[in-house]
Amino acid sequence: MILENFVDRYRARGIILDDFQLEAIEALESRDVLVSAPTGAGKTVVAEYAVELALAHSKRCIYTAPIKALSNQKFRDLSEQIGQDYVGLLTGDQTINRDAPILVVTTEVLRNMLFQRDDIVADIGYAVLDEVHYLSDEFRGPVWEEIILQLPAHARLVALSATISNVEEFASWLRSVRGATAVVVSTERPVPLVQHVAINRRLEPLFVGGKMNQRLVQADAALSAHRRRRPTGFARRKRVLNQLRDADLLPAIEFIFSRKGCDRAVADLLDAGVSLNRADQQREVRARLRKLRADVSEEDQRAVRFGFWAKAMTRGFCAHHAGMFPALKELAEDLMEDGLLKLVYATGTLALGIDMPVRTVVLEELQRWNGSDFVPLSATEYTQLIGRAGRRGKDKVGHAVVIHTDDLDVQALADLGSGRVEPLESAFYPSYNSVANLLAFHPYEDARAIMGTSFAQYQRNAELGEVRGRITRVRARLEAVEDVLAGECLEGSLPDYLRLRRKAKRASKSERKRAKREYRQRIADSWDEAATGHLYAFARDGELDYGVVLSVGAKLRLVDLNAQMTWLREEELSSELRDLGTIAMPFGLSPKKAEVRADIADAMWDAVGERIELGTDRDLTGSWDRFAVTSSTELEAHPVHHCPDLASHIRAGSEFTSLLASLENLEAESEAYDDSVAKEFDATAGVLFRLGYLQPGDKGPRSGMVKLAAGAAMLRGIHNEADLLVCQSLSEAAFADLTPEEFAGACSAFLCDRRLGIDRPTGGALREAWQAIERNVTFLTRVEEGFAILRTPEPFPGGMEAFTAWAGGHNLETVLALGNLVVGDFISANRRLIDLLGQIETVAPSERLRDVAGQAARLIRRWQWL
């Protein structure tokens, strides 16, 4: 009955649920569910059914989102759907209606509830993990994994993910730790997507008939061959905007991946007098802006650039990034949803699932900022970005446009756009906080075993099987090669001698020089002996490569393993050319033809596939000085060492030597994989034992229980990446006499946010606090190195004076100028700082520290937008 009523309500709104949605909600009535589907396919319907079941059965549903903006949006959506009395919001810095049956929380909040055994946990009937593929995120991924491991068995899990290639592996792990789990996969987009490249004043399709558009390839080649002055970024943007307007492809999101770039793009349109809204639409936008303006003082309007953004929104365009005033950013989302914005320049935040679908998505480049550097977009990231294109019920087709630049590789773009996605890989590691919390409730071996059930260990166990299989094959090949080499030298056993040489110490400088000269001669000799039709292994600038020689001369013409024709010069070689025999060449056919080269490459793979897997030729990438060794008593005593043909014997044994090195590497890799997460748990706990946070239990070692010292009680309540650094630093004398204002400023360093700046405080008390933090970073890093882990992140002092001033009552404009801060970064940091100060207030061991933390939190919560 519940299911029928749910489906009927959708049908009454003109929405017929897809098969995958029906399959998932039916399964949810009896087991956990994992749903993997493209962006915009309607996965949230399954989450909404979990809400429906929770209300019907008087259970509590916890709905998680990866970022606070998404939590706030989902809170608003659910409040409108089922009523404000039934929905609560917990985001660390904000608590609304905590006792509501439906709680929207960030993943960190749910994780903390589970570890702290919060009273709410006992009532959880359903837990929704939205965007669960963020489990592979380097920084926040472990949170998702800890939730799955700690979620009680009585709660039903709803895991929603973008398309992932190893969904069955992930589901298999879920079943191993959670029990019965239904896997529902959909690869169909409700609105088909067409991909284009903006090139030569045209929107050229990326694919035609399922294959790469050859006209696009030709246009790209022509531009590359005739480089001339290219249009500026603004000129390209305006041209694409005009193309979208003419083709009725607005509204659109254009991803720039730079805050300054987004702001500059908006300013350029304003300067050019562009307007995308009709007069009546402009009046509606102004009315919305007036409502917001009434709540922001003139002083704060200047600080958040209210006038600039208001002018842009009125004209029908805006930006969307983390540096903006959140209220303006949320207004942009609402205006876009209501058709009052036609164009938004955005960084990557919209790819996180914020509900802002459009007709067209435009990408200016195929790389993004990862917090420290620009990195290429992954196939999954690209698919998520363009997945915003195509509004269900409004568009028959969605469009993705990549702007052509000199740096664009259209072949790489075609690979990204092919629908290929990366596998989900765990980023899990045990934090100090998680180790302390586990040991508060579990004996040591049980807590360690829990780590062993992580997805990280599950994947490493699979990899361990592959590594051990390769070890077996390498050993078998070693035995075969050893049999061949057994009679190579009449003086004695060459394999035994080669094993001894691997243990020899580094040779003298003169011996190394001699070895280098001899090896350069070997390279030259192999070059002179190169012959057509032969397959060679070699190192080019230190990288292993294989190629079949097509012609010889001043340079060699080769076909490589990728079926590409390449040239090789002798000076590029960093190893000899190792002759692997001949490859049958297609008779009478020109290798200039792609299909002929493909046949040659296939034959090459047949010949070298096992060599690559076993590492047979990996020695070619090593330094030449591996041929120079220091004589030792053992070497001198071995008869082969004095053989006049020693040099040729060593060359004959190159494969054996390479296989020995490969075996050593694989065995070390196997050791690292085996119980690796549990070993990381041991190392993390080892640091805590070393620092006195953990002690052996009172009941003796057989009980397996660990005693948590006073400091560990505080550590359990600090849910911050710098958890141990916070606990260590707050015990310093430099923190003891800080005023609440200074305490707020000092604690901003624990946010480890480089965007707050790196300038050290100049004031006495703050400077001493920062010096105390630095001392503890140095100390903790040294201790961690002794346990072969790195847990303590880098703190940054740039916000210390700014937050002290903010807590002291200075206005927003002054504070932003003082710290050279962007308003969005400031607000985000302020909210996280409120959260951290609240944690310290709750778990601080002294009344004085609790009071100063509580006062500091209240002082910086002084603005209604916080």
Side-chain angles (χ1 to χ4, degrees):
M1 183 64 72
I2 300 172
L3 189 149
E4 287 83 354
N5 290 338
F6 183 78
V7 173
D8 286 345
R9 285 205 305 275
Y10 268 94
R11 187 179 292 112
R13 292 158 51 193
I15 300 173
I16 305 299
L17 296 185
D18 293 333
D19 289 344
F20 89 89
Q21 294 168 322
L22 291 171
E23 181 184 351
I25 62 178
E26 287 172 1
L28 185 57
E29 296 194 335
S30 60
R31 65 202 121 153
D32 290 357
V33 173
L34 167 63
V35 181
S36 175
T39 301
K43 296 186 289 291
T44 53
V45 167
V46 186
E48 289 170 4
Y49 190 61
V51 170
E52 185 88 0
L53 288 174
L55 293 173
H57 297 305
S58 299
K59 299 281 188 180
R60 174 167 271 139
C61 178
I62 305 292
Y63 196 120
T64 73
I67 60 175
K68 291 179 182 179
L70 285 174
S71 297
N72 292 332
Q73 185 182 60
K74 182 53 62 176
F75 171 69
R76 293 194 300 270
D77 292 346
L78 288 174
S79 295
E80 291 176 4
Q81 291 173 22
I82 62 178
Q84 293 183 355
D85 292 342
Y86 295 95
V87 187
L89 177 69
L90 299 177
T91 59
D93 61 331
Q94 191 174 18
T95 300
I96 301 174
N97 199 10
R98 190 181 193 274
D99 296 324
I102 311 301
L103 279 180
V104 181
V105 304
T106 57
T107 46
E108 281 80 4
V109 166
L110 176 55
R111 177 256 192 204
N112 299 343
M113 285 179 174
L114 294 171
F115 269 136
Q116 296 293 335
R117 305 293 175 96
D118 193 291
D119 292 342
I120 288 175
V121 174
D123 296 331
I124 298 176
Y126 301 86
V128 177
L129 284 185
D130 202 359
E131 311 283 352
V132 74
H133 52 275
Y134 277 91
L135 180 145
S136 62
D137 182 79
E138 178 183 0
F139 301 105
R140 301 179 61 225
V143 173
W144 273 262
E145 211 156 325
E146 288 176 329
I147 289 173
I148 293 170
L149 291 174
Q150 294 297 314
L151 192 67
H154 66 257
R156 197 152 289 159
L157 175 66
V158 182
L160 307 179
S161 172
T163 304
I164 53 177
S165 61
N166 60 333
V167 64
E168 281 301 332
E169 179 189 36
F170 183 51
S172 180
W173 171 70
L174 284 177
R175 293 187 184 105
S176 73
V177 295
R178 293 282 310 161
T181 303
V183 181
V184 181
V185 177
S186 174
T187 57
E188 297 296 321
R189 281 178 50 91
V191 180
L193 181 66
V194 177
Q195 300 177 64
H196 311 265
V197 175
I199 185 171
N200 287 346
R201 302 179 183 275
R202 293 172 54 86
L203 296 181
E204 196 69 62
L206 180 57
F207 299 105
V208 174
K211 296 183 178 180
M212 191 170 179
N213 181 2
Q214 289 305 303
R215 191 163 67 178
L216 170 61
V217 175
Q218 294 163 4
D220 174 66
L223 286 176
S224 299
H226 301 91
R227 293 192 179 277
R228 57 183 185 276
R229 185 179 179 184
R230 299 287 187 254
T232 64
F234 171 61
R236 284 197 300 267
R237 289 184 197 120
K238 190 172 181 184
R239 180 188 298 169
V240 170
L241 173 57
N242 289 334
Q243 290 173 318
L244 298 182
R245 293 174 77 177
D246 294 344
D248 192 26
L249 294 182
L250 296 176
I253 297 170
E254 186 160 334
F255 288 105
I256 297 180
F257 301 116
S258 159
R259 296 179 185 180
K260 289 183 178 178
C262 291
D263 293 355
R264 182 70 259 170
V266 171
D268 286 340
L269 290 188
L270 287 173
D271 292 343
V274 173
S275 181
L276 305 177
N277 272 346
R278 301 187 308 267
D280 61 314
Q281 292 173 323
Q282 292 187 22
R283 286 193 295 272
E284 175 60 25
V285 174
R286 288 193 189 99
R288 305 259 191 112
L289 286 164
R290 278 196 297 272
K291 290 181 181 179
L292 178 57
R293 193 190 299 268
D295 294 328
V296 185
S297 70
E298 290 188 14
E299 189 179 72
D300 289 342
Q301 286 179 40
R302 288 195 304 271
V304 303
R305 302 179 71 197
F306 194 99
F308 173 81
W309 295 117
K311 188 176 181 181
M313 289 180 182
T314 302
R315 294 191 185 181
F317 51 88
C318 193
H320 190 288
H321 57 71
M324 291 175 62
F325 180 41
L328 284 169
K329 192 167 58 173
E330 291 169 10
L331 178 58
E333 295 167 13
D334 294 338
L335 292 176
M336 178 66 91
E337 184 176 353
D338 295 339
L340 297 172
L341 280 187
K342 307 300 189 302
L343 178 63
V344 168
Y345 292 110
T347 54
T349 53
L350 283 175
L352 282 172
I354 291 176
D355 188 19
M356 194 192 285
V358 289
R359 182 166 295 169
T360 304
V361 165
V362 181
L363 276 76
E364 291 202 356
E365 54 189 346
L366 299 180
Q367 58 178 3
R368 64 171 180 84
W369 180 255
N370 70 352
S372 59
D373 197 6
F374 281 99
V375 296
L377 287 176
S378 68
T380 301
E381 288 166 340
Y382 174 81
T383 300
Q384 277 198 280
L385 289 168
I386 66 174
R388 302 257 70 84
R391 299 165 299 177
R392 195 167 189 171
K394 293 183 179 180
D395 300 316
K396 292 182 178 179
V397 177
H399 298 267
V401 177
V402 176
I403 299 179
H404 188 275
T405 65
D406 290 344
D407 296 328
L408 180 65
D409 183 338
V410 293
Q411 296 288 345
L413 174 60
D415 181 51
L416 287 177
S418 65
R420 174 183 65 83
V421 291
E422 288 85 8
L424 185 63
E425 294 185 4
S426 173
F428 182 76
Y429 67 89
S431 67
Y432 292 118
N433 172 275
S434 60
V435 169
N437 274 298
L438 282 171
L439 292 175
F441 297 101
H442 300 279
Y444 189 91
E445 287 303 318
D446 289 355
R448 190 179 190 272
I450 290 172
M451 295 292 99
T453 63
S454 65
F455 187 43
Q457 189 62 60
Y458 187 88
Q459 290 190 307
R460 291 175 198 178
N461 288 345
E463 292 170 359
L464 177 60
E466 294 178 10
V467 170
R468 286 176 173 167
R470 288 169 61 196
I471 287 174
T472 300
R473 292 195 296 277
V474 169
R475 283 177 175 161
R477 180 61 184 163
L478 264 173
E479 290 177 7
V481 174
E482 185 167 3
D483 288 342
V484 173
L485 293 179
E488 176 72 18
C489 181
L490 298 177
E491 302 292 337
S493 170
L494 178 58
D496 288 348
Y497 177 73
L498 293 174
R499 288 189 177 95
L500 278 178
R501 277 181 67 92
R502 282 194 54 77
K503 299 176 182 178
K505 296 180 180 179
R506 195 163 184 258
S508 65
K509 186 175 182 180
S510 60
E511 179 66 18
R512 295 200 308 274
K513 284 184 175 180
R514 184 193 61 77
K516 182 177 183 180
R517 287 195 302 271
E518 290 181 354
Y519 194 57
R520 288 307 314 177
Q521 186 58 49
R522 283 174 59 180
I523 292 175
D525 291 344
S526 70
W527 177 267
D528 293 337
E529 295 166 3
T532 57
H534 281 247
L535 170 63
Y536 293 95
F538 57 92
R540 188 201 304 250
D541 297 327
E543 296 292 328
L544 184 62
D545 205 349
Y546 295 87
V548 173
V549 175
L550 300 178
S551 64
V552 298
K555 53 186 179 179
L556 303 182
R557 190 162 59 111
L558 308 167
V559 172
D560 64 17
L561 288 171
N562 296 318
Q564 298 297 312
M565 197 178 297
T566 64
W567 292 96
L568 176 66
R569 295 175 174 81
E570 183 178 358
E571 57 268 24
E572 294 177 277
L573 284 174
S574 53
S575 80
E576 63 184 305
L577 289 165
R578 178 171 290 166
D579 193 342
L580 304 183
T582 59
I583 291 290
M585 305 293 285
F587 181 74
L589 298 176
S590 172
K592 291 183 179 179
K593 295 182 178 179
E595 57 270 23
V596 174
R597 295 197 303 274
D599 290 340
I600 296 173
D602 287 343
M604 291 168 61
W605 276 110
D606 290 341
V608 304
E610 186 176 13
R611 298 180 72 91
I612 293 173
E613 187 176 12
L614 300 184
T616 304
D617 302 305
R618 196 176 301 158
D619 63 303
L620 294 175
T621 63
S623 171
W624 49 265
D625 63 3
R626 65 189 184 278
F627 298 104
V629 296
T630 297
S631 184
S632 66
T633 304
E634 286 183 299
L635 282 176
E636 288 286 346
H638 201 286
V640 174
H641 188 68
H642 302 285
C643 179
D645 298 322
L646 179 61
S648 65
H649 291 336
I650 291 175
R651 284 197 295 273
S654 60
E655 180 181 355
F656 185 79
T657 303
S658 188
L659 287 169
L660 284 176
S662 183
L663 182 61
E664 288 177 9
N665 291 334
L666 287 169
E667 287 177 337
E669 194 175 348
S670 174
E671 173 65 21
Y673 280 138
D674 196 13
D675 284 338
S676 57
V677 179
K679 290 173 183 174
E680 288 184 37
F681 178 87
D682 290 338
T684 309
V687 172
L688 296 180
F689 274 111
R690 162 77 172 75
L691 299 181
Y693 287 81
L694 300 178
Q695 299 171 358
D698 295 332
K699 296 181 181 180
R702 289 190 177 182
S703 71
M705 294 302 295
V706 169
K707 183 178 179 180
L708 274 63
M714 182 176 182
L715 179 61
R716 287 187 57 213
I718 301 298
H719 309 292
N720 177 284
E721 61 176 322
D723 45 17
L724 187 56
L725 177 62
V726 172
C727 294
Q728 288 285 114
S729 300
L730 293 186
S731 64
E732 291 273 355
F735 276 79
D737 296 322
L738 292 178
T739 66
E741 294 84 354
E742 292 166 338
F743 190 81
C747 287
S748 71
F750 299 130
L751 301 179
C752 301
D753 190 343
R754 191 180 184 88
R755 292 172 300 183
L756 299 180
I758 60 174
D759 294 337
R760 297 163 181 259
T762 57
L766 287 180
R767 184 177 62 222
E768 290 179 12
W770 171 245
Q771 290 171 345
I773 293 172
E774 283 189 305
R775 284 196 303 273
N776 279 285
V777 170
T778 302
F779 170 69
L780 288 175
T781 302
R782 190 181 304 120
V783 174
E784 289 170 346
E785 286 174 352
F787 289 88
I789 60 172
L790 178 60
R791 291 284 183 272
T792 302
E794 182 180 6
F796 294 100
M800 293 176 73
E801 291 182 335
F803 279 101
T804 299
W806 177 249
H810 288 268
N811 64 46
L812 179 65
E813 197 170 18
T814 300
V815 170
L816 295 179
L818 179 64
N820 194 25
L821 300 173
V822 177
V823 64
D825 290 341
F826 170 76
I827 291 175
S828 173
N830 202 103
R831 289 173 173 170
R832 286 182 287 131
L833 185 54
I834 291 170
D835 188 9
L836 175 59
L837 292 170
Q839 294 172 23
I840 296 172
E841 181 185 16
T842 301
V843 299
S846 71
E847 185 176 353
R848 199 269 167 189
L849 187 55
R850 288 194 296 272
D851 288 345
V852 74
Q855 290 180 56
R858 288 186 286 277
L859 287 172
I860 66 170
R861 200 194 288 270
R862 46 177 280 221
W863 198 31
Q864 63 173 310
W865 307 106
L866 298 170

